[in-house]
Amino acid sequence: MNPKSARPVLALLTSHWISIFGAALVTTAVFSWLFVLPAHVHGNTSNPYIGLFVFIFIPVVFFAGLAMMPVGFFLAKRQLATGLRAAPDRKTTMRRVAIFFGVTTFLNLLIGTQFTYRAVAHMETVQFCGQTCHVMKPEFTAHQNTAHSRVTCTGCHVAPGASGWLASKMAGTRQLMDVVFNNFPRPIASAMESNRLVPASQTCEECHWPERTTPVKVRVIPSFKDDENNTASLTVLSMLVGGGKPGGIHGAHIGPGIEIRYAASDAKRQSIPWVEYRNSATGKTVAYSAADAKPETIKALPTFTMQCVDCHNRPTHAFELPERAVDAAMADGGIPATLPFIKKKSIQVLRTEYTSTEDASAKIPAAIDAYYRQTYADVYAKRSSEITRAAKALSDIYNRNVFPDLKVTWGTYPNNLGHTDYPGCFRCHDQAHSAPGGAAISQDCNVCHQAVAVEEAAPEVLKTLGVAEHLTQIK
Ligand code: HEC
Ligand code: HEC
Ligand code: HEC
Ligand code: HEC
Ligand code: HEC
C-alpha cells in the first residue's frame, strides 16, 4: 500500500465516530484476550465459565468492532462525496490518530489490569461458582458445613492441569448459555447422571490417599421416635473401613490390583444388574448378575469402573431427609427434644409442600406456633422462646434441602453411602447378585460394620468408652 492511498484510508477511518468506536472495540478485545489467554492456556484458571469470556464475549466485541469500521468508513466517504464534510488534512488526521491511541491505550490498561484480571480472579472463587447463578444454590448451600466446605468448587469439578481445561470451558460455556436462555433442566441432573464428573483419581485422590488404612471408624447415630416424649435412642456402628490391604470396605473395592466394573440400567445408577470383580494380585475374576437380568439387556448398558464417588457421591452436597435432619438437630439441641411431639410435628411440617423458600419461612414457624398454642397451652405459655427456636431450626432445614423453584426436594439426589435411606450398598450387596457358581455378593450384616448397639437408650459401649456424658440424649 503506498502512502498516498494509506492516508485517505486513515483519514476516512478517523472521520466518523462509528469507525473510531469500532477500532476502539477491536483493540480492547485484542487487549483483553492478551490478558486472559496466557493464564487460560497454562491451565492456571480452572473456572469453566471463563470460557464464556474468552470464546464468546470477547470475540463478539471484536467482530462487532470490526464490522463497525467499514460502516463508518463508507458513511464518512459518502459525507465527503455529498460535500457534507470537508476532507481532513494530514495534521487533523494525525491528531485524531494520536488522541485515539492515547485514549484507547489508557482505557485498555485500566480494563486489562483492573477489570479483566479481577474478573478472572473472582471467577475462581466459591462465591462466584455458587452464588452468581441461582441454579447452583442447592449445591452451594449443601456445600456449607461439611468436611469439604473449604474445598473450592473447581477442586472437585475441574481436572487439574491443562488436560481437562478445554472440555471444562466448553461445558461451562454451554451451561451458561442454557441458563441465559432459561433452557436448563429442573432439577439439574446429578454430575454422575450427566456423566460429567471428573474421575475421582484426579480430584479426591489429589488429597486422599486410597491406600490409607482406617481399621474402624465408630459412628454414633441418634434417632428420636414420634411419641409424645420423642423417645431418644442411639445406634453405634463400628465401620470396617479398612484400606491398603484387600480387606475392609475400602480394600475390597479399591485395594491394590482390584478393579470392579458395573453396568447400570438407569442414569442415576440406582439399578445395577451386572458387576464384575477382578483382582490382578490373585488372578480372581468373577461376574455377578442380578437374578432377573437378561444377558442381552446387560450387554447394551453403559459400564463404569467403581471409584470413591460410587459410594461417597455426596461428600459435600449432603442433602438430608427430614427424619435425619430433625434427628441431628434434636441431638445437638437446635430443636429442643423435650417439647412434646416435636419430632412428629417437625416431620409433618417438613413433608408439607411450600411454593417457595419465602412461603416455607413464613408457614413453617406459623404451623409450629399454632400447634403448641392450640394443643399445649401451658407449654406455649412457659416455653415460647424454645418453640421459636425449633420453628427457626425447621425452616432452616427446609430451606437448605428443598428448593421449590428448581424442583429440588427431599430425596431428589440419592446418597449411596449406606442402605437404609436409599439402595446404596445394597444395589449390589442384596444377596440377589450371583456368579455362575452360585456365590453372591455378600449381605452379611457383619462384613461392613459391627452393630455394637441398635437403637438403645444408653448403649453400654458408650459408657465403657467414657463418652456417654457427652451425648445429650443419654440421661
Ligand atoms: C468434595 C468435592 C466437591 C466439591 C468441593 C464440590 N462438589 Fe459439586 N459435586 C461433587 C460430586 C461428587 C457430585 C456428584 C454427585 C452425584 O452424581 O451423585 C457433585 C455434583 C454437583 C452438581 C450436580 C447436581 C448434584 O447435586 O448432583 C452441581 C451443580 C455441583 N456439584 C456444583 C458445585 C458447586 C457450585 C460447588 C462449590 C460451591 C461444588 N459443586 C463443590 C463433588 C464436589
Ligand atoms: C482439596 C482437598 C480435598 C479434596 C479434593 C477432597 N477432599 Fe475429602 N477431605 C479433605 C479433608 C482435609 C478432610 C478432613 C476434613 C475434616 O476432618 O474436617 C476430608 C474428609 C473427607 C471424608 C470424611 C468426611 C467426614 O465427614 O468425616 C470423606 C468421606 C472424604 N473426604 C471423601 C472425599 C471424596 C469422595 C472426594 C472427591 C469427590 C474428596 N473427599 C475430595 C480434603 C479433600
Ligand atoms: C465401597 C464403597 C466405598 C468406596 C469405593 C470408597 N469408600 Fe470411603 N468409606 C466408605 C464407607 C462405608 C466409610 C465409612 C463411613 C462412615 O460410616 O462414616 C468410608 C470412610 C471414608 C473416610 C473416613 C474414614 C477415615 O479414614 O477417616 C474417608 C476419608 C474416605 N472414606 C475416603 C474415600 C476415598 C478418597 C475413596 C476413593 C479413593 C473412597 N473413600 C472409596 C465407603 C467407600
Ligand atoms: C457396584 C457394586 C457394589 C457396590 C455399590 C458396593 N459393593 Fe461392596 N463389593 C462389591 C463386590 C463385587 C465385592 C467383592 C465380591 C467378591 O469378593 O467376589 C464387594 C465386596 C465388599 C466387601 C468385602 C466382603 C467380604 O466378604 O469380604 C465389603 C466389606 C463391601 N463390599 C462393602 C461395601 C459397602 C459398605 C458398600 C456401600 C457403601 C458397598 N460395598 C457397595 C460390589 C459392590
Ligand atoms: C455392604 C455393606 C453393608 C452390609 C452388608 C450391611 N450394612 Fe448396614 N450399613 C452400611 C453402611 C455403609 C451404613 C451407613 C453408615 C453411616 O451412616 O455412615 C450402614 C448403616 C446401618 C445402620 C444404621 C442405620 C441408620 O439409622 O443410620 C443399621 C441399623 C444397619 N446398617 C444394619 C444392618 C443390618 C441389620 C445388616 C444385615 C442385613 C446390614 N446393616 C448390612 C453397610 C452395610
Side-chain angles (χ1 to χ4, degrees), residues 205 208 212 214 217 219 239 250 253-254 308 311-312:
E205 293 180 28
H208 295 279
R212 182 186 136 148
T214 304
K217 184 182 174 194
R219 293 266 290 125
M239 302 303 301
H250 281 172
H253 308 85
I254 55 166
C308 316
C311 300
H312 299 281

Side-chain angles (χ1 to χ4, degrees), residues 345 363-376 380 387:
K345 194 65 204 165
K363 286 186 182 154
I364 290 174
I368 295 292
D369 188 87
Y371 174 72
Y372 286 102
R373 184 157 34 79
Q374 288 157 16
T375 325
Y376 287 98
Y380 187 76
I387 293 167

Side-chain angles (χ1 to χ4, degrees), residues 6-22:
R7 196 158 23 105
V9 171
L10 208 57
L12 283 171
L13 267 180
T14 52
S15 295
H16 202 281
W17 69 267
I18 291 192
S19 43
I20 296 181
F21 188 61

Side-chain angles (χ1 to χ4, degrees), residues 298-319:
I298 291 172
K299 269 208 196 77
L301 298 174
T303 58
F304 308 95
T305 301
M306 209 168 172
Q307 44 168 335
C308 316
V309 287
D310 283 298
C311 300
H312 299 281
N313 66 328
R314 298 276 141 200
T316 190
H317 310 301
F319 298 105

